[in-house]
Amino acid sequence: MLPERNTKYKFLPPEFDPENADMVRDAIHFLKKEVPEDFESAARWYGNFQELSDATNEVQTRFDLLMSLDSQNSSYLERLQRFEREILSQLIESRAELMDVYLNSCWRGSMHADDRGKIHSEIVLRRRFASVELGPLQIEENQMVREFKNFSASATCLYFGRQTPIGIV
């Protein structure tokens, strides 16, 4: 079971649940339609974008951790697959459009004036690899990595007369 989230959101609604596909869809919809017009709305837009990304990354990381600790637990695997299918796919499909909103905004420079272009250059790099066509491949890659981890975790060999997991050898 995933531990309770103690995250307090500053921009997303307090009841926001990153495992709820409808809530994620609504957050993405807000980001697509609320193009910032001034510094205040830019801060709100970027805050929502950052919190949405962080919240969903946290869920995926938790599932990956739980799967690595108990690779045979089918309920974790089902929840992770549902997360990838219903939530992660929405984000991947919208990522390029949202990055373009950020990169083409006149407020972008003033939002991150003190980071010496770090966030901008990171998003420019990520934008090169963001496309709707790559989404299914990214999810398939996640699944293949998970299968490999499960395989390698269960692989054993005879080591000094004892069956020992290969990772320990």
Side-chain angles (χ1 to χ4, degrees):
M1 189 68 157
L2 285 177
E4 286 292 317
R5 281 188 290 275
N6 297 332
T7 307
K8 302 277 189 261
Y9 298 113
K10 183 176 178 182
F11 297 97
L12 291 170
E15 69 278 0
F16 180 76
D17 178 6
E19 287 189 65
N20 182 315
D22 292 333
M23 288 183 171
V24 171
R25 185 195 63 242
D26 292 345
I28 291 170
H29 180 72
F30 166 81
L31 291 169
K32 286 182 177 181
K33 74 176 180 83
E34 295 293 325
V35 177
E37 299 171 359
D38 55 26
F39 191 76
E40 185 179 332
S41 63
R44 187 174 56 251
W45 189 95
Y46 185 77
N48 272 283
F49 180 64
Q50 188 66 44
E51 285 184 352
L52 177 63
S53 296
D54 290 348
T56 54
N57 285 340
E58 180 184 344
V59 170
Q60 186 173 14
T61 300
R62 285 178 177 195
F63 279 133
D64 285 339
L65 177 61
L66 289 170
M67 289 296 302
S68 70
L69 296 173
D70 186 2
S71 61
Q72 303 306 312
N73 189 319
S74 62
S75 69
Y76 294 154
L77 179 59
E78 289 169 13
R79 286 178 67 189
L80 179 57
Q81 289 173 333
R82 184 172 34 86
F83 173 80
E84 288 175 337
R85 185 179 58 253
E86 297 176 7
I87 294 163
L88 191 60
S89 62
Q90 287 186 66
L91 292 170
I92 290 171
E93 289 174 11
S94 303
R95 186 171 42 198
E97 186 178 346
L98 295 176
M99 287 178 175
D100 288 343
V101 169
Y102 174 82
L103 291 170
N104 295 320
S105 298
C106 60
W107 49 266
R108 176 188 41 79
S110 59
M111 283 295 295
H112 305 290
D114 61 343
D115 77 351
R116 300 179 185 191
K118 181 180 180 277
I119 291 175
H120 177 260
S121 61
E122 185 178 304
I123 290 180
V124 166
L125 177 65
R126 288 182 180 190
R127 176 59 182 97
R128 290 180 34 212
F129 303 106
S131 72
V132 174
E133 296 81 25
L134 291 177
L137 293 174
Q138 289 173 317
I139 290 173
E140 184 179 350
E141 177 187 19
N142 291 348
Q143 293 167 347
M144 294 176 93
V145 166
R146 202 168 35 255
E147 288 174 18
F148 175 76
K149 285 180 180 178
N150 288 343
F151 168 76
S152 64
S154 64
T156 63
C157 67
L158 195 58
Y159 183 71
F160 291 105
R162 294 175 52 196
Q163 282 298 114
T164 309
I166 290 193
I168 292 176
V169 173

